[in-house]
Amino acid sequence: MKLHLLQLLLLASFFCFSCAKEVPPPAPIGPLPSIQQLNWHEMEYYAFVHFNMNTFTDMEWGLGGESPSLFNPTELDTRQWARVAKEAGMKGIILTAKHHDGFSLWPSAYTEHSVKNSPWKNGKGDVIKELAACKEYGLKMGLYLSPWDRNHADYGKPEYITYYRNQMRELLTNYGEVFEFWVDGANGGDGYYGGANETRNVDRKTYYDWDNTFALAKELQPDIVVFSDGGPDVRWVGNENGFADATNWAPLRRNEFAPGIGPYQQLTSGHEDGTHWVPAECDVSIRPGWYYHENQDDKVKSLSELLDIYYKSVGRNGNLLLNLPVDRRGLVHENDVKALMELRKTLDETFAVNLTKGAKAVASNIRGNDYLSSNILDEYNDTYWATADEVIESELVINFNKETSFNRLVLQEYIPLGQRIKAFKVEVMDGDGYKEIANETTIGYKRILRLPQVTTSQLKITFTDAKGSPTISNVEVYLATSEPSAE
């Protein structure tokens, strides 16, 4: 059968179109997150549990000479911790396996200053093992191992580093998967030190041989992320309020920091010209203290305070690590549980209905068919809208098809290609023109804006500055009706 010329031309056009090269994604910009860091970003919100010798001495920082006989919880139930965390919407628990006083919550083979010499379970208990069993709740476990040990006789000597690494090996090989290894900056000072009762100072930058110590953690747990003031994988946010700056870069000039060393005020916002991807973890306690104190039972943070923390951590390109001071029974206190559930209920109500369902997204520039503006509304993090190379200033308009009231806006970048947005503004259709309701800087993994309540048929987001073509994976809109007023 012969084909007409028109048919041949149509077939040729079809095959040329089919064989056309796909438009490549934008080139990556700056440092990029590892797979482990991407998994960490998705956790967003998890618990810190400070529970150790200090719980029973009513202190925040023990001196190291406390008797193991003081550790004796009456109703220790790590499953209660896990149930509370799960019901609160958390995705993991990081436990103080050893704080500065050196008391170990597991029967370490390398010290007598541990639960094996306590009356709890006649010395046969292991808090880490009991917490590890809680993975049945779908929670991940992280562990804090203080670099400073006010009990150990060798602290300050080279022998202590061997001891510290031996304890790391125990924690990171005997209890299954550990998602985060947590190290703080408290290093050196006065202490018991095996009975010496003296002050010992160390060179915080060199004493611990951090590069090799952290490398050991990753050798033992390939999927782990390591937290310290400046990383290597996750950084401190620079305060204990749980607040990141409104401008918050995941990149950091990492080599300027070490545990206990660095310009802490810069950790709150990161560095636009950062050399490594080191996102911020925002740690804060639900009470004034990190450890349980009975006189703080009536000082649990209010719903308004907890919401402010949430929006200034998770809502500002950080993760929220909210501390729960487990009490002397070995339980999360009822007052803390009540506050957590109030927060969960309120956030569930706020983010229950995404008002972009059924809406249409239109962009001022589209890179190609794989980068359509509709990708921002599909709620998948692995699809995104992008502009052509060199097109920085660009717009996304969301048409709701009807008048819609909202006061919360969620934005996410496609961070596997780097954090790119430097400035953007938000406008709504008001009469015959647009009215600006927000003018902001960075986005990153997630940015949540608390906006004045508006009613409009169109929302416009204009990206005014970026390191390269914008890559936006997600835009969501909500109406919060049950939240207290923002502070």
Side-chain angles (χ1 to χ4, degrees):
M1 181 178 64
K2 293 184 179 181
L3 294 173
H4 293 294
L5 179 61
L6 178 59
Q7 291 175 306
L8 289 170
L9 289 172
L10 288 172
L11 280 172
S13 298
F14 171 78
F15 285 114
C16 286
F17 178 79
S18 299
C19 296
K21 292 183 179 179
E22 294 183 0
V23 178
I29 291 180
L32 305 178
S34 65
I35 294 296
Q36 293 83 355
Q37 289 170 319
L38 289 172
N39 292 336
W40 174 89
H41 276 287
E42 292 179 356
M43 290 188 68
E44 295 190 6
Y45 173 40
Y46 36 95
F48 214 173
V49 169
H50 274 65
F51 175 70
N52 208 294
M53 182 61 71
N54 295 330
T55 308
F56 300 92
T57 59
D58 205 27
M59 298 179 70
E60 286 289 300
W61 285 15
L63 297 174
E66 298 83 7
S67 170
S69 65
L70 297 173
F71 184 85
N72 193 20
T74 55
E75 303 175 48
L76 179 62
D77 184 358
T78 57
R79 280 180 165 77
Q80 187 255 5
W81 307 359
R83 286 194 299 272
V84 168
K86 183 73 172 181
E87 291 171 7
M90 297 173 165
K91 295 183 180 177
I93 298 174
I94 298 177
L95 174 64
T96 53
K98 184 190 80 170
H99 204 251
H100 312 323
D101 55 80
F103 185 77
S104 302
L105 289 182
W106 73 104
S108 175
Y110 301 98
T111 182
E112 297 303 305
H113 197 54
S114 80
V115 291
K116 68 184 178 184
N117 288 314
S118 77
W120 176 62
K121 293 196 170 183
N122 296 315
K124 303 298 182 183
D126 185 337
V127 182
I128 314 301
K129 182 177 180 180
E130 295 198 11
L131 181 60
C134 294
K135 293 172 186 175
E136 66 193 55
Y137 289 86
L139 300 174
K140 295 185 178 181
M141 183 178 74
L143 295 171
Y144 165 120
L145 184 67
S146 172
W148 186 18
D149 192 319
R150 301 171 95 175
N151 172 267
H152 203 277
D154 286 338
Y155 183 79
K157 303 173 184 178
E159 290 82 359
Y160 174 75
I161 303 308
T162 299
Y163 169 73
Y164 187 79
R165 291 176 179 169
N166 282 336
Q167 288 205 311
M168 282 181 63
R169 286 186 179 276
E170 289 181 318
L171 291 174
L172 299 182
T173 58
N174 294 335
Y175 300 100
E177 183 179 351
V178 177
F179 86 92
E180 184 168 335
F181 182 70
W182 214 96
V183 169
D184 63 13
N187 295 288
D190 61 332
Y192 174 73
Y193 303 129
N197 291 311
E198 61 188 15
T199 297
R200 296 181 182 178
N201 294 313
V202 300
D203 184 327
R204 297 180 176 188
K205 191 169 186 179
T206 62
Y207 174 62
Y208 298 95
D209 185 16
W210 283 122
D211 287 347
N212 287 313
T213 299
F214 290 155
L216 175 61
K218 295 189 175 190
E219 175 190 328
L220 299 172
Q221 293 270 346
D223 293 328
I224 207 168
V225 292
V226 175
F227 168 99
S228 79
D229 292 347
D233 302 309
V234 178
R235 76 176 193 263
W236 184 38
V237 76
N239 62 69
E240 294 183 345
N241 303 319
F243 296 168
D245 274 353
T247 298
N248 183 18
W249 292 97
L252 187 75
R253 296 192 297 271
R254 190 174 73 185
N255 293 340
E256 297 178 10
F257 299 85
I261 298 175
Y264 294 141
Q265 68 276 11
Q266 295 181 21
L267 294 172
T268 314
S269 56
H271 296 138
E272 183 181 332
D273 62 349
T275 55
H276 296 78
W277 189 275
V278 192
E281 186 173 81
C282 306
D283 60 325
V284 61
S285 186
I286 200 168
R287 296 172 175 230
W290 290 92
Y291 280 94
Y292 176 79
H293 308 288
E294 187 177 1
N295 63 6
Q296 294 181 2
D297 282 350
D298 61 348
K299 296 180 175 61
V300 178
K301 286 182 171 57
S302 68
L303 175 59
S304 179
E305 289 173 310
L306 291 173
L307 283 168
D308 204 37
I309 288 167
Y310 181 85
Y311 283 113
K312 291 179 179 177
S313 56
V314 176
R316 289 182 173 177
N317 190 35
N319 278 12
L320 173 56
L321 179 60
L322 182 60
N323 181 63
L324 310 178
V326 166
D327 64 24
R328 293 183 182 185
R329 296 172 298 175
L331 303 174
V332 180
H333 192 274
E334 292 82 353
N335 293 1
D336 300 4
V337 174
K338 181 174 181 291
L340 288 169
M341 298 312 152
E342 286 178 351
L343 176 63
R344 173 67 190 269
K345 179 176 183 292
T346 303
L347 291 175
D348 281 353
E349 290 172 352
T350 293
F351 297 102
V353 180
N354 180 3
L355 298 171
T356 66
K357 296 288 187 182
K360 303 294 183 183
V362 179
S364 59
N365 183 274
I366 295 176
R367 185 176 188 85
N369 287 337
D370 290 333
Y371 314 98
L372 299 176
S373 55
S374 57
N375 290 345
I376 69 169
L377 303 182
D378 65 9
E379 298 185 353
Y380 292 113
N381 288 348
D382 58 353
T383 61
Y384 58 96
W385 160 76
T387 62
D389 290 338
E390 311 305 327
V391 176
I392 303 299
E393 188 163 345
S394 49
E395 297 175 355
L396 283 171
V397 175
I398 296 176
N399 295 297
F400 294 107
N401 300 318
K402 62 180 180 179
E403 293 292 301
T404 301
S405 297
F406 64 90
N407 53 17
R408 299 290 182 269
L409 175 63
V410 178
L411 300 167
Q412 293 186 273
E413 284 186 76
Y414 184 70
I415 58 173
L417 294 177
Q419 188 177 350
R420 309 159 82 93
I421 303 300
K422 297 167 65 175
F424 68 98
K425 63 180 180 179
V426 180
E427 299 170 283
V428 293
M429 179 62 71
D430 184 23
D432 295 327
Y434 283 103
K435 172 186 175 183
E436 184 176 301
I437 58 172
N439 200 313
E440 299 291 343
T441 52
T442 54
I443 296 175
Y445 171 75
K446 180 173 283 189
R447 187 71 191 273
I448 308 175
L449 300 184
R450 285 184 285 185
L451 301 168
Q453 184 167 324
V454 293
T455 301
T456 185
S457 61
Q458 286 187 9
L459 164 68
K460 181 165 74 171
I461 305 164
T462 303
F463 303 97
T464 55
D465 197 6
K467 293 182 177 182
S469 54
T471 59
I472 304 299
S473 65
N474 202 20
V475 177
E476 299 173 8
V477 171
Y478 298 93
L479 178 63
T481 58
S482 60
E483 293 186 16
S485 299
E487 296 181 2

